[in-house]
Amino acid sequence: MEKVTVRDFLKKKEKKEKVIMLTAYDYPSAKIISQTSLDGILVGDSLGMVVLGKENTLKVTMRDMLIHLDAVVRAKPPQLIVADMPFLSYETSTKDAVKNAGLFARHGADAVKLEGGEEMKDVVKAIVRSGIPVMGHIGLTPQRFLRIGGYRILGKREKEEEQLIRDAKTLEEAGVFSVVIENTYSDVAKKITESVSIPTICIGAGPYCDGQILVIHDLLGLSDFTPYFAKKYIDLRELIRRAIEDYISEVKEGKFPGKEHYKSRDS
Ligand code: KIV
């Protein structure tokens, strides 16, 4: 598979082909993904919750992100690698935003993602001007859960719906190559998708978007809880637990290590 670029994302929208992404945070999962036809990997700040056991994404730092971005980059996946800008790495000033996005690019990210709508226009413009592609993220933006009032669905009221459409259009004008829409009603996501020419990539926003993204731990059954909009394709947690129990039993019963697992002088 050839390296996926941001242009491929835009072409997919034109051809009405779905853009399909997953999050990944480490070398083994990025290696597995590299053998699939997935379009993009997001090294998401969900890392903080699903891998590092932090309470929320406000606690994720640039240092956390860089360690895990490096691990994904080392797997050399052909997929587009998008690095998520953590809380306070881009809101403080356009200068900080360009500096941190640049750091991600230097570490091998093909693009960055940041949360927010209209209010992020200047930040997006500055990063794009520096030559780094930006993915937007609107709807439920988890880094703003305090202001939003929890992890709730957005777009119920007409005012909220209009704001979401305005956010997507403004981000497109500012230069984003695609936009994640998180946790809104499917008809709202459809209207947003029809009002922009960049691909919309949904999570918890229904089937009418140009693409889909999931947190890999939800898909694999490794999360503490699976949100209603995610699908567990395999229960890895249970499979891993059983494998560990088998290992414990076999050691206790003297079945492991078996003859094939060690060398003795008389063999
Ligand atoms: O950090 C993340 O995993 C995300 C996705 C939910 C889009 O931002």
Side-chain angles (χ1 to χ4, degrees):
M1 184 168 150
E2 273 181 40
K3 182 74 189 172
V4 178
T5 69
V6 292
R7 279 166 57 84
D8 295 317
F9 271 46
L10 293 158
K11 276 192 230 149
K12 283 211 156 193
K13 172 138 184 163
E14 280 167 28
K15 290 197 253 167
K16 296 193 182 345
E17 285 173 20
K18 290 274 182 190
V19 176
I20 309 171
M21 295 187 69
L22 263 182
T23 65
Y25 320 94
D26 57 34
Y27 179 84
S29 50
K31 267 278 175 203
I32 296 169
I33 288 173
S34 70
Q35 289 158 11
T36 71
S37 57
L38 202 72
D39 298 301
I41 295 177
L42 171 70
V43 185
D45 66 349
S46 48
L47 154 80
M49 293 166 90
V50 299
V51 177
L52 303 176
K54 298 190 183 203
E55 206 181 327
N56 56 53
T57 55
L58 303 189
K59 307 207 169 167
V60 177
T61 62
M62 276 298 290
R63 187 167 172 273
D64 295 332
M65 293 300 302
L66 285 169
I67 291 170
H68 290 268
L69 170 64
D70 284 347
V72 168
V73 168
R74 273 184 218 115
K76 297 190 178 63
Q79 284 78 17
L80 188 86
I81 302 175
V82 183
D84 215 359
M85 301 205 62
F87 181 56
L88 295 186
S89 70
Y90 59 99
E91 306 92 325
T92 42
S93 68
T94 52
K95 200 171 157 201
D96 287 349
V98 173
K99 195 176 109 231
N100 288 319
L103 207 50
F104 279 157
R106 281 205 172 136
H107 279 251
D110 301 310
V112 298
K113 174 171 86 57
L114 56 85
E115 296 184 7
E118 266 189 326
E119 75 281 12
M120 285 299 140
K121 187 172 104 185
D122 292 339
V123 168
V124 170
K125 276 189 178 170
I127 300 174
V128 172
R129 209 181 304 123
S130 77
I132 301 162
V134 179
M135 177 181 272
H137 183 160
I138 60 172
L140 171 63
T141 43
Q143 291 174 15
R144 315 250 156 84
F145 79 95
L146 292 170
R147 196 188 72 197
I148 293 170
Y151 297 97
R152 66 177 177 86
I153 189 159
L154 275 111
K156 190 170 186 173
R157 279 175 259 126
E158 208 179 314
K159 229 171 129 192
E160 262 178 12
E161 176 181 322
E162 284 167 5
Q163 182 62 52
L164 286 174
I165 297 173
R166 222 172 19 249
D167 285 340
K169 284 185 172 172
T170 309
L171 288 174
E172 178 177 26
E173 278 163 28
V176 302
F177 70 95
S178 65
V179 61
V180 168
I181 307 174
E182 179 166 353
N183 216 359
T184 189
Y185 298 93
S186 59
D187 59 302
V188 178
K190 187 168 187 273
K191 282 186 198 158
I192 299 171
T193 300
E194 287 166 356
S195 65
V196 293
S197 52
I198 48 165
T200 56
I201 299 173
C202 287
I203 178 156
Y208 307 116
C209 294
D210 302 303
Q212 177 69 46
I213 183 162
L214 274 186
V215 168
I216 194 166
H217 285 56
D218 292 341
L219 175 144
L220 298 178
L222 286 170
S223 305
D224 282 342
F225 105 106
T226 315
Y228 75 92
F229 51 75
K231 182 169 170 184
K232 201 193 276 190
Y233 283 83
I234 185 172
D235 192 350
L236 263 195
R237 213 177 233 222
E238 180 53 18
L239 290 178
I240 293 171
R241 192 194 61 75
R242 268 195 251 152
I244 296 171
E245 287 297 354
D246 286 349
Y247 163 65
I248 296 169
S249 305
E250 291 203 354
V251 172
K252 280 186 181 166
E253 290 162 19
K255 289 188 183 159
F256 180 82
K259 279 204 175 99
E260 67 278 30
H261 301 118
Y262 63 89
K263 309 248 182 260
S264 65
R265 284 182 191 275
D266 48 337
S267 61

